[in-house]
Amino acid sequence: MTNNTEHIEQLILKGIQGRANSSEEKALTEWRTAAPENEAWYQDLNSTWIDLDDYVPEFDAHKGWESFLEKKPQKTPKAIWNVWLKVASVAACITLGILMYANHNFTSPIERHQEVVWTTDNGDIIPLEQIADASSSIKNEEVTINVLDYNNQKLEDTEVIVPKGKRVKLLLEDGSKVWLSAETKFKFPTSFKGQRERVVEVNGEAFFDVSRNEQQPFRVKSTSTDIVVLGTKFNVDNTSDNIDQTTLVSGKVNIEMQGKKTAELSPSDQFTLIGKEWTLKEVDTSAYVAWTRGSLLFDDISFPDLEKKLERWYGVVITNNNKTLQQQRFSGEFDKNDDIESVMSLLKSSNNINYSIKNNIVNIY
């Protein structure tokens, strides 16, 4: 094994573990940007590392990685380093998967496979395909689920998990409709009967069309606020760190913080909480609910913000090595039928960039 290969291995390990110093971070960045294949496979390995840490905390991934590096072939010519890295990453994932299944009864998280799933209060994970029937449909990446069809599944306290690149339309037991955007988790009971309030919880982005019931208010628990309504249409978005936003389309809603009423919204009002500070302003609501119709609409946003939207919308990972894009602002609209290739082709024609797409990884340079 060459000294250079050993050095790259240690840089990757330290970078993923967050232990690299400034000079090591610089060297790793230079290697990652030297070729799109380097960055793509670094991202693959990093994602696998994060998944292990999130879902199998008892597994010592640090020792497992070091052990894997020790056991790989000792002679690795520079010319085949990239090829070896591809094969090694796949082999590592397979080996770790078998090991974790045998020792920890490990079940791979469904969202890693880009499927919409239900989870029950006891932790069971049920892919939609196992409970779907003729009344559920999958079309244009939007999944429609009628909760009444699954009462016999005994999913009393459930959560729907929506991965990147998917959307869900959920028909609740009380007649309310909920649209769930990509990378959203939504907790709810399959029945509101016998409860003082209809309480649900959202982590991500959701649009609500709430069936009116003055005797049983509808309460949405977001990250830092509660939205209390009788019957109305509104959007809740807490996808950004420390930002909790509610946009009202029709009706009225009350915003509560720490159990106290903070604001009352009228149609076109938008309540935004950033940290501990909140604002209330009037907006064009169409820009904030276009996603429910299958349109990705954005107006004068930075490229990092556009990057995040595209990753969620299309279920991809984007790596940008073109610094000029970071300073630009973007406005536009894409339909769900426009794939990521169409989007990148448009960006290429309107900006001085090149790109490659492989295994849902987009490299911009």
Side-chain angles (χ1 to χ4, degrees):
M1 179 167 56
T2 66
N3 291 333
N4 182 60
T5 299
E6 281 186 335
H7 182 57
I8 292 295
E9 288 175 349
Q10 293 305 315
L11 285 180
I12 294 173
L13 178 58
K14 288 185 176 182
I16 291 176
Q17 292 177 335
R19 298 188 295 112
N21 58 36
S22 58
S23 62
E24 290 170 334
E25 287 179 351
K26 181 179 179 181
L28 180 58
T29 299
E30 290 176 352
W31 176 80
R32 290 170 60 184
T33 57
E37 292 82 4
N38 291 359
E39 175 62 20
W41 286 100
Y42 174 87
Q43 292 294 342
D44 274 353
L45 294 172
N46 189 50
S47 296
T48 300
W49 183 271
I50 292 172
D51 288 338
L52 288 175
D53 184 57
D54 286 345
Y55 297 106
V56 195
E58 70 273 20
F59 179 74
D60 194 334
H62 297 266
K63 290 182 179 179
W65 178 279
E66 291 172 341
S67 175
F68 170 72
L69 291 181
E70 289 175 1
K71 293 179 180 179
K72 87 172 187 64
Q74 295 301 303
K75 293 183 179 181
T76 310
K78 293 181 180 179
I80 63 169
W81 163 249
N82 285 336
V83 175
W84 178 86
L85 183 55
K86 294 178 183 179
V87 175
S89 63
V90 174
C93 291
I94 294 173
T95 302
L96 290 176
I98 295 172
L99 177 62
M100 288 183 290
Y101 180 83
N103 294 338
H104 306 285
N105 194 24
F106 175 74
T107 301
S108 297
I110 296 299
E111 55 266 42
R112 287 174 58 190
H113 298 287
Q114 299 298 297
E115 298 173 355
V116 178
V117 300
W118 297 69
T119 62
T120 64
D121 55 354
N122 62 7
D124 291 337
I125 297 177
I126 306 174
L128 178 67
E129 288 78 2
Q130 291 186 16
I131 58 176
D133 56 24
S135 61
S136 292
S137 62
I138 300 178
K139 184 178 181 181
N140 295 329
E141 300 303 292
E142 180 178 281
V143 179
T144 299
I145 306 173
N146 189 335
V147 171
L148 293 177
D149 295 328
Y150 307 119
N151 282 340
N152 61 352
Q153 298 289 329
K154 299 181 179 180
L155 306 177
E156 296 180 358
D157 293 305
T158 68
E159 180 179 52
V160 169
I161 302 174
V162 186
K164 288 182 177 181
K166 300 285 186 179
R167 291 173 294 124
V168 166
K169 180 181 179 182
L170 195 61
L171 309 178
L172 300 182
E173 175 260 354
D174 67 334
S176 297
K177 302 173 184 177
V178 185
W179 285 258
L180 305 177
S181 186
E183 286 194 308
T184 295
K185 295 182 179 181
F186 182 66
K187 293 182 179 180
F188 65 100
T190 52
S191 175
F192 296 112
K193 293 178 181 178
Q195 300 183 20
R196 186 174 63 86
E197 293 183 326
R198 295 169 287 172
V199 182
V200 300
E201 183 177 339
V202 61
N203 187 343
E205 184 174 18
F207 178 80
F208 294 85
D209 183 353
V210 176
S211 178
R212 189 172 184 82
N213 185 345
E214 296 184 2
Q215 305 303 316
Q216 193 180 39
F218 195 97
R219 179 181 295 270
V220 179
K221 290 184 172 294
S222 188
T223 52
S224 302
T225 62
D226 280 15
I227 302 97
V228 184
V229 307
L230 298 177
T232 183
K233 297 179 180 180
F234 59 99
N235 195 75
V236 177
D237 185 356
N238 56 48
T239 54
S240 300
D241 292 339
N242 298 317
I243 300 179
D244 203 335
Q245 188 174 83
T246 300
T247 305
L248 182 61
V249 175
S250 65
K252 288 185 179 294
V253 304
N254 291 328
I255 303 294
E256 294 184 2
M257 295 172 59
Q258 298 179 341
K260 297 181 180 179
K261 180 179 176 180
T262 303
E264 181 178 295
L265 276 59
S266 297
S268 297
D269 281 348
Q270 183 178 79
F271 177 93
T272 303
L273 175 67
I274 303 178
K276 296 182 179 180
E277 302 294 325
W278 63 271
T279 59
L280 186 62
K281 66 179 182 179
E282 187 173 341
V283 299
D284 178 4
T285 61
S286 62
Y288 297 91
V289 301
W291 66 268
T292 65
R293 302 188 301 272
S295 294
L296 179 61
L297 181 64
F298 48 95
D299 182 33
D300 192 33
I301 65 174
S302 67
F303 185 77
D305 287 340
L306 176 59
E307 186 177 328
K308 292 178 183 177
K309 286 181 177 291
L310 293 176
E311 286 184 330
R312 291 180 61 220
W313 192 254
Y314 292 107
V316 299
V317 174
I318 298 177
T319 301
N320 177 34
N321 298 308
N322 190 311
K323 295 182 179 180
T324 60
L325 284 180
Q326 300 294 105
Q327 312 303 321
Q328 298 183 33
R329 311 288 294 184
F330 295 86
S331 298
E333 182 175 6
F334 294 108
D335 186 84
K336 188 62 180 180
N337 294 323
D338 296 325
D339 59 17
I340 188 62
E341 181 69 46
S342 300
V343 175
M344 296 309 302
S345 179
L346 181 60
L347 284 175
K348 179 180 180 179
S349 64
S350 58
N351 300 273
N352 186 27
I353 68 166
N354 286 303
Y355 68 92
S356 64
I357 302 176
K358 184 178 181 181
N359 298 327
N360 288 331
I361 299 175
V362 181
N363 283 287
I364 302 174
Y365 46 93

